[in-house]
Amino acid sequence: MLSHAIFVLILPLVSAAIIALFLRRSGGVAAAVSTLTAAAIAVISVMLALHNERFTESTEWMRLGGLVISLGFQFDDLAALMLLIVGIVGLCVHVFSLGYMHDDAAKARYFGGLSIFMFSMLGIVFADNLFMMFIFWELVGFSSYVLINHWHEKQSASDASKKAFIANRVGDFGFLLGIVMCYWLNGTVSLTELAAKGEAHTLVFSTLIPLFLFCGAVGKSAQLPLHVWLPDAMEGPTPVSALIHAATMVAAGVFLMARVYPLLTPDALQVIAVIGALTALLGAVIAVAQYDLKRILAFSTVSQLGYMMLAIGVGAPSAAIFHLLTHAFFKALLFLGAGSVIHAAHHEQDIRQLGGLSVKMKLTFATFAIGTMALVGVPLFFSGFWSKEAILHAAHATAGSHFPFYAALVGVVLTAFYNTRLIAETFFGHGRSHAAEHAHENSAVMTTPLVILAFFAIALGFLGTPVYPWLQARLSGETAVHGHSLLDGVGLLVLSSGLVALGIGAGFALYGRTLRLRTKATAPDPLAIAAPRTHAFLGDRLKFDELYAATFGVVNTFLATASDWFDRSVWGGIVHFLALLGEFSGTVNREADEQGLNAGFDATSEKLRATGQAYSRAQTGDAHGYLRFLAVGFVVLAIVAMLGGVA
């Protein structure tokens, strides 16, 4: 089975390479290659998950002193579950994209980005150590940046991709510090060895280790205070939102926390629970006042990820993973359903401009309604109900603070409320724009994935019911499934169901009953009429972006300005001085060379040349001439000698 795991990991990388090298101008062929690859990944994922063989294989990759970094595969039940999510949801997104991105000019780049993302995400799933996980963690961030920025000619998309990249890098820095500290204290970052050390009670605990690791999860899973990137990431194509920002990438943080659960100290668990509870409330509250269809779903994702982190914090990682599973499918369904609406309404995604689509897009409406009921937690027949109940029961049973539990209950009401508002404004009433009035159902290539995901949005809940909690038992490593009667927790079940009914009723009272009267998009929002200041504050996302701009933004601007001044005035001045010094030295050397050495050599050479020429002229080659010179010389010598003798 190891060979199958290696194959399923390498397959999307090969697909991305083929598209990048040979198919950049062949969008249709690139789409086919990427989709067929996704289909193969889905098939092999099902084979691996259903096969009972689980394995851990590792080999040394590099050695840096005493640090050994390995490459390997850890395939346990948790990895099998994540593999199924990535494989099946990835395939549905690819098929949906065939219709949604049919006319896109950069289709090849889009599908190549999907392939490289699939490779990166599968690497996280299979990683057997934290260093290897970090490598693929960064690749996921890179591929997310590329896909969010697919329509880079839009300034909003470019800004959103940079925002996502920076926010994730902040969290990833903490993640890296946690990895280094873990190795420093325990001498290993292997997930298997860390778990063994925990069982043997030889693991060195430090609250800083899990908190630093949690920083990575805060970034990837859009937890408070790094949640701001996820809603803006909706600027990317809608299928990207379904794959990356609903089902897989954002779930990586929850997966990480489940992987390192043996490292989580009680203090760290408390921090995680509080952050998760606050995030669950934050996302739900802000979603109440949003008008962009995808942005509402984005804040819903933020809220549901908060529920998962809350479950981790109260000591129920199996409940968190259960909700991760159900959420992946019903939220992917909702995002693809939103994409179907946007595509049919000529890219209109303001819910005030929609309406009346339940008649025009019956299949999209039916599947979207199923996804909504799963998200809201409508009792008994929808997956989100059972996974939400698992989290509520775990939060209620915790011995620590009950704040996460009460926050989760409030989140239940708000979730039901804003989703009722969403589906009422989008599908009921009258069409409030030309786009809504002329919308029609999409082709089968876009609606078929909706039907498949709708099936899972119902069926997956029965994997973890209180009566037969098979999934929780499997994730916990238990060989036998021990369930209990629904009557044991009937009070909390009735309470949460009542809160769901309260949220739906309030949403219908404010929005459903007024839809007949609101035939124009300019009609005021009922909540804005009831509480205008509160509604405006929520619409501005509690001013988090403004707060960051006024604090970190100002500091960043100051540091950038100071760095620019230092670069221009100090470093630039030093470089300019050295340049002038070099120029002066060159001038002096040139003058000394030309006026001194060269002039002296030239003069000496000229004198030697003249002397040589004189001697040359004297050397006539005539023997008689030489004899005459000798005779004259003897005469002169004789005269001199005689004169000397006389004297």
Side-chain angles (χ1 to χ4, degrees):
M1 299 303 288
L2 177 61
S3 60
H4 291 80
I6 295 174
F7 183 72
V8 79
L9 175 62
I10 298 299
L11 197 57
L13 181 62
V14 173
S15 171
I18 292 173
I19 293 172
L21 295 175
F22 307 109
L23 303 176
R24 288 185 294 175
R25 299 184 182 276
S26 304
V29 181
V33 170
S34 184
T35 304
L36 290 174
T37 300
I41 293 172
V43 172
I44 300 173
S45 299
V46 173
M47 292 172 54
L48 287 170
L50 296 181
H51 200 278
N52 288 325
E53 183 180 350
R54 301 291 184 259
F55 53 86
T56 301
E57 297 286 343
S58 182
T59 184
E60 183 177 319
W61 178 32
M62 65 174 65
R63 183 182 295 270
L64 303 173
L67 174 62
V68 177
I69 301 177
S70 63
L71 287 177
F73 291 81
Q74 181 178 4
F75 191 69
D76 55 6
D77 289 327
L78 178 58
L81 183 64
M82 284 295 297
L83 185 61
L84 280 175
I85 294 173
V86 176
I88 297 175
V89 175
L91 176 58
C92 290
V93 168
H94 274 80
V95 174
F96 185 89
S97 297
L98 293 176
Y100 192 88
M101 304 296 291
H102 182 267
D103 298 324
D104 192 87
K107 190 188 312 185
R109 173 160 52 84
Y110 170 82
F111 280 96
L114 287 184
S115 291
I116 199 66
F117 172 82
M118 294 281 285
F119 165 72
S120 306
M121 195 64 209
L122 290 171
I124 293 177
V125 172
F126 284 122
D128 74 329
N129 65 84
L130 291 175
F131 274 122
M132 182 178 172
M133 183 178 288
F134 183 79
I135 293 171
F136 286 103
W137 194 270
E138 294 301 299
L139 284 175
V140 164
F142 166 74
S143 55
S144 174
Y145 169 83
V146 171
L147 290 170
I148 296 171
N149 199 35
H150 177 72
W151 291 321
H152 55 82
E153 64 276 4
K154 293 170 55 181
Q155 186 62 43
S156 57
S158 179
D159 293 340
S161 62
K162 289 185 288 186
K163 189 175 185 178
F165 190 84
I166 293 171
N168 277 272
R169 297 295 76 71
V170 172
D172 294 350
F173 179 70
F175 184 20
L176 182 60
L177 291 178
I179 295 173
V180 173
M181 183 172 287
C182 183
Y183 180 81
W184 179 42
L185 293 178
N186 294 286
T188 182
V189 291
S190 168
L191 296 170
T192 305
E193 294 178 7
L194 288 172
K197 283 179 172 286
E199 294 176 357
H201 304 289
T202 59
L203 187 67
V204 178
F205 290 94
S206 171
T207 302
L208 286 177
I209 295 176
L211 289 181
F212 277 136
L213 296 176
F214 180 57
C215 287
V218 168
K220 277 290 187 290
S221 294
Q223 298 294 286
L224 186 73
L226 297 180
H227 66 283
V228 293
W229 70 269
L230 184 59
D232 288 347
M234 299 301 109
E235 292 293 338
T238 302
V240 170
S241 302
L243 178 64
I244 298 181
H245 309 121
T248 55
M249 173 183 164
V250 293
V254 182
F255 175 77
L256 170 64
M257 290 293 98
R259 270 279 185 247
V260 300
Y261 190 77
L263 293 171
L264 304 184
T265 63
D267 290 337
L269 287 172
Q270 187 174 358
V271 171
I272 294 171
V274 171
I275 294 294
L278 290 173
T279 305
L281 277 177
L282 175 80
V285 167
I286 296 177
V288 167
Q290 301 301 310
Y291 294 107
D292 186 285
L293 177 57
K294 291 172 62 179
R295 204 173 295 274
I296 296 171
L297 295 176
F299 278 109
S300 172
T301 299
V302 171
S303 179
Q304 297 305 306
L305 290 168
Y307 274 97
M308 299 175 206
M309 288 299 179
L310 186 157
I312 295 284
V314 299
S318 59
I321 298 301
F322 184 24
H323 197 56
L324 185 154
L325 171 65
T326 61
H327 177 267
F329 284 90
F330 66 66
K331 187 53 66 70
L333 167 61
L334 289 173
F335 267 107
L336 293 186
S340 180
V341 170
I342 294 169
H343 189 268
H346 306 285
H347 297 281
E348 179 59 67
Q349 54 194 66
D350 189 331
I351 61 174
R352 293 171 295 186
Q353 302 286 343
L354 300 174
L357 299 182
S358 61
V359 178
K360 303 177 183 297
M361 305 178 68
K362 294 181 179 180
L363 186 56
T364 297
F365 167 65
T367 54
F368 196 94
I370 292 173
T372 302
M373 287 185 284
L375 171 59
V376 170
V378 173
L380 300 182
F381 299 107
F382 299 94
S383 61
F385 170 77
W386 297 111
S387 58
K388 178 200 65 178
E389 287 300 317
I391 295 175
L392 291 177
H393 279 79
H396 182 259
T398 184
S401 172
H402 285 285
F403 168 74
F405 173 68
Y406 294 123
L409 291 180
V410 176
V412 169
V413 180
L414 293 173
T415 302
F417 175 80
Y418 70 73
N419 277 285
T420 302
R421 169 181 177 263
L422 170 62
I423 202 167
E425 292 277 3
T426 304
F427 292 98
F428 297 153
H430 304 280
R432 296 181 293 278
S433 67
H434 178 80
E437 291 177 352
H438 292 82
H440 56 84
E441 188 61 270
N442 292 293
S443 62
V445 74
M446 296 179 66
T447 56
T448 301
L450 302 182
V451 175
I452 296 172
L453 292 171
F455 167 77
F456 285 112
I458 297 174
L460 290 176
F462 297 98
L463 295 178
T465 63
V467 177
Y468 191 75
W470 176 85
L471 182 64
Q472 294 92 320
R474 189 70 184 253
L475 293 173
S476 302
E478 301 175 3
T479 56
V481 181
H482 302 285
H484 58 83
S485 174
L486 286 177
L487 296 177
D488 294 343
V490 68
L492 184 54
L493 189 149
V494 171
L495 174 61
S496 64
S497 299
L499 294 175
V500 169
L502 176 62
I504 294 175
F508 178 77
L510 275 178
Y511 294 94
R513 297 177 61 184
T514 62
L515 284 174
R516 294 181 180 179
L517 304 176
R518 292 188 291 123
T519 58
K520 297 182 179 180
T522 55
D525 188 291
L527 189 59
I529 297 174
R533 293 185 178 180
T534 302
H535 185 269
F537 188 52
L538 296 178
D540 289 335
R541 315 182 204 180
L542 302 182
K543 302 259 185 212
F544 268 95
D545 288 316
E546 289 80 359
L547 175 63
Y548 288 155
T551 52
F552 297 105
V554 171
V555 173
N556 181 69
T557 301
F558 171 77
L559 293 176
T561 303
S563 298
D564 180 71
W565 175 86
F566 190 82
D567 181 65
R568 294 176 182 275
S569 302
V570 180
W571 288 116
I574 293 174
V575 171
H576 184 63
F577 171 76
L578 293 175
L580 291 177
L581 183 63
E583 184 178 354
F584 173 76
S585 176
T587 301
V588 171
N589 289 334
R590 185 179 65 253
E591 293 297 324
D593 183 64
E594 293 179 356
Q595 302 298 326
L597 293 176
N598 288 349
F601 279 118
D602 290 345
T604 303
S605 298
E606 187 63 31
K607 290 181 180 179
L608 290 174
R609 185 183 303 109
T611 303
Q613 290 176 349
Y615 283 123
S616 178
R617 288 192 296 270
Q619 301 292 327
T620 62
D622 185 5
H624 295 283
Y626 294 153
L627 291 174
R628 284 194 293 271
F629 274 112
L630 289 174
V632 172
F634 279 120
V635 172
V636 172
L637 288 174
I639 294 172
V640 171
M642 287 188 293
L643 291 174
V646 172

